[in-house]
Amino acid sequence: MGSPLAEGVLKQDVRAAARLMRRLDDQQPDAEQALRELYPHTGRAWILGITGSPGAGKSTLTSRLIGKFREQGKTVGVVAIDPTSPFSGGAILGDRIRMQAFEGDPGVFIRSCATRGAMGGLSRSTSNVVRVLDAFGKDVIIIETVGVGQDEVEIVSAAHSTIVVTVPGMGDDIQAIKAGILEIADVFVVNKADRDGADRTVRDLQIMLEMNLNHDIPWRPPIVKTVAAKGDGLDELVEKLEAHHAFLRQSDRIAKFNRERIRREMLDALRSRLLDAAAATIDAEGGMDKLIDDVDGGKVDPFSLAESLSGKILAK
Amino acid sequence: MGSPLAEGVLKQDVRAAARLMRRLDDQQPDAEQALRELYPHTGRAWILGITGSPGAGKSTLTSRLIGKFREQGKTVGVVAIDPTSPFSGGAILGDRIRMQAFEGDPGVFIRSCATRGAMGGLSRSTSNVVRVLDAFGKDVIIIETVGVGQDEVEIVSAAHSTIVVTVPGMGDDIQAIKAGILEIADVFVVNKADRDGADRTVRDLQIMLEMNLNHDIPWRPPIVKTVAAKGDGLDELVEKLEAHHAFLRQSDRIAKFNRERIRREMLDALRSRLLDAAAATIDAEGGMDKLIDDVDGGKVDPFSLAESLSGKILAK
């Protein structure tokens, strides 16, 4: 153990953790060294994912869940995934402000991930933050998405227990669930369940689940009605989540989960190294603008150019 | 010119085009050679993007647009992007079925892209299909997304003219637009405009546009009300789209657009070559399962493993 950043995280120094997360995003070598040193100290946290359409009340639900876990004496880390944040206006900022209820609580650590740019950047950034929170000793880590993009769904589905949130009266929303996120839900939440149509939404979800039930997995995703703004249904939600966690631990699913997590982290790290090498070669060839000039001027097509660059980047 | 696939496409042979698209998805060398040969024959098509929430009526709008362009005597290619299709049920299939109205029309070519898997696979697959349709001689190419994931938004925003579709009464939907896709819209459509609240939605959009107007770009995205199911508002929509196209051609934006397209295609092709090399090295090291065993057993952490693999993959 030599890294002061890693030592700081293990001593539960909040500033060291925040600094390490920032430096990991900037791909600083000392941060990557710290992550390696922290690695053996991770694997203990319970990782929850929360996804669903914009406006479904995910942030309110997340802050209620934080409250419940804090009542149980558990410490909580939150990763808010917001890949679109360079564009985002007041709405998302408002969501974040609600979280400030926990600002003075040392048992809660909240971090936003908004890395755009390189493919896989968001996934890598998120799993790094989760690892750091895990090493820090957080009992529960909640990954909350702002939207329901494919990247975000993939990241959230990598949680131990994934909550998919919908609201009454969004027929289209159910369609969206059908199209992409039905299979990743371990627990469904129908939030704003004091609105008209809540029971109908529950029934629609039930029918969809019946039709799509995977009989190889002996877990039937429960559907919980909540009114997150009032705190209604939160006890039942926590109970169902804990039942899912118990189910994971009983079976060998935790082991499978850990292997998948290793695979993803390794590939994200590898991909980022390959892309760095590509960027360096493009620079050495005169930079992207010059290469585009060559194609634009008819000297070469983009596909032949990619082949010649890969010949310079790769070992053989 | 040696590739029979490329020759077939230039002769407007539909089967050759479909076969080339399939073989490009499978990364067959003969297909990649054909794409290189076709490259100088591309750059003529007008590329439209259509995105918006599930249920906003994008498919109906797309088929109405096809009808309008066909009335003008233009040929049309459609790329339907559906990254979640492995999960998808009846809803999306239903959308596709509506397109069958054009099945007997040789002036219309429809292709779905659903490549998951490797990062960037969807973008690469889409731009390949667009290039083939372009070389084939289609006057207009419409890229339609099923969802509004980040990947899809990025792909659609690469069109010459991008339509963002919303429907009345979706306050949350407007939030979603705010959060991510406001800046990519060249034309807004409020579809299902015979529903209550259409004018309010238009007004909300107008306010949002005022607040976010980029004064560096002398194009103010118009808002068009449509009832795609009845064909209402389609003439106005086509007119606004054509105005945007004229705007692009007057300014130097078409040139910028072409450079961006070259950059993206080159990087997608390069990325795919690098990932192939990574896969080959992982196989040579005993395969992914064995590598995960090493990490799982505590021999190495995922980040050090990525570094050692990249040392074998890269030239230096």
Side-chain angles (χ1 to χ4, degrees), chain B residues 110-140:
Chain B
I110 296 172
R111 165 91 186 175
S112 286
C113 276
T115 313
R116 283 175 71 92
M119 287 282 181
L122 188 63
S123 164
R124 184 166 175 274
S125 180
T126 306
S127 68
N128 285 344
V129 170
V130 170
R131 279 282 173 205
V132 174
L133 291 170
D134 191 344
F136 192 94
K138 293 300 177 202
D139 299 309
V140 184

Side-chain angles (χ1 to χ4, degrees), chain B residues 44-67:
Chain B
R44 210 186 51 83
W46 179 25
I47 306 168
L48 292 180
I50 300 190
T51 191
S53 301
K58 296 183 296 293
S59 280
T60 313
L61 204 66
T62 300
S63 36
R64 290 289 180 182
L65 278 176
I66 298 172

Side-chain angles (χ1 to χ4, degrees), chain B residues 50-251:
Chain B
I50 300 190
T51 191
S53 301
K58 296 183 296 293
S59 280
T60 313
L61 204 66
T62 300
S63 36
R64 290 289 180 182
L65 278 176
I66 298 172
K68 288 287 165 195
F69 290 125
R70 293 299 293 136
E71 281 173 23
Q72 296 179 351
K74 289 178 179 147
T75 57
V76 183
V78 178
V79 193
I81 300 178
D82 182 6
T84 54
S85 83
F87 299 140
S88 76
I92 286 155
L93 187 63
D95 286 348
R96 297 288 151 260
I97 285 167
R98 259 177 280 165
M99 296 271 193
Q100 289 183 351
F102 304 100
E103 214 168 53
D105 179 351
V108 180
F109 190 112
I110 296 172
R111 165 91 186 175
S112 286
C113 276
T115 313
R116 283 175 71 92
M119 287 282 181
L122 188 63
S123 164
R124 184 166 175 274
S125 180
T126 306
S127 68
N128 285 344
V129 170
V130 170
R131 279 282 173 205
V132 174
L133 291 170
D134 191 344
F136 192 94
K138 293 300 177 202
D139 299 309
V140 184
I141 298 169
I142 303 177
I143 306 175
E144 182 213 331
T145 72
V146 168
V148 281
Q150 194 186 347
D151 289 355
E152 293 148 286
V153 166
E154 271 176 34
I155 291 165
V156 164
S157 68
H160 289 116
S161 306
T162 301
I163 305 168
V164 171
V165 188
T166 187
V167 289
M170 290 184 80
D172 294 335
D173 203 50
I174 301 261
Q175 274 209 346
I177 288 176
K178 212 173 180 174
I181 58 181
L182 184 69
E183 306 208 352
I184 67 165
D186 299 309
V187 176
F188 282 100
V189 166
V190 177
N191 192 29
K192 307 187 183 177
D194 51 354
R195 286 194 189 171
D196 282 351
D199 290 327
R200 161 128 207 212
T201 302
V202 170
R203 209 168 54 237
D204 287 352
L205 278 171
Q206 270 164 348
I207 292 167
M208 246 164 51
L209 279 172
E210 301 275 337
M211 283 167 56
N212 290 279
L213 203 61
N214 182 346
H215 295 282
D216 297 338
I217 304 175
W219 173 259
R220 211 188 145 82
I223 304 168
V224 182
K225 287 196 284 185
T226 63
V227 184
K230 296 181 189 164
D232 295 352
L234 263 292
D235 285 326
E236 190 192 346
L237 175 57
V238 170
E239 196 182 284
K240 300 294 185 194
L241 288 170
E242 282 167 350
H244 183 255
H245 196 199
F247 160 76
L248 287 181
R249 281 175 303 189
Q250 276 161 18
S251 60

Side-chain angles (χ1 to χ4, degrees), chain A residues 1 10 34-43 131 135, chain B residues 298 301-302:
Chain A
M1 180 68 62
L10 293 177
L35 197 60
R36 281 174 213 182
E37 291 179 17
L38 289 175
Y39 188 78
H41 301 273
T42 64
R131 281 283 173 202
Chain B
D301 68 81

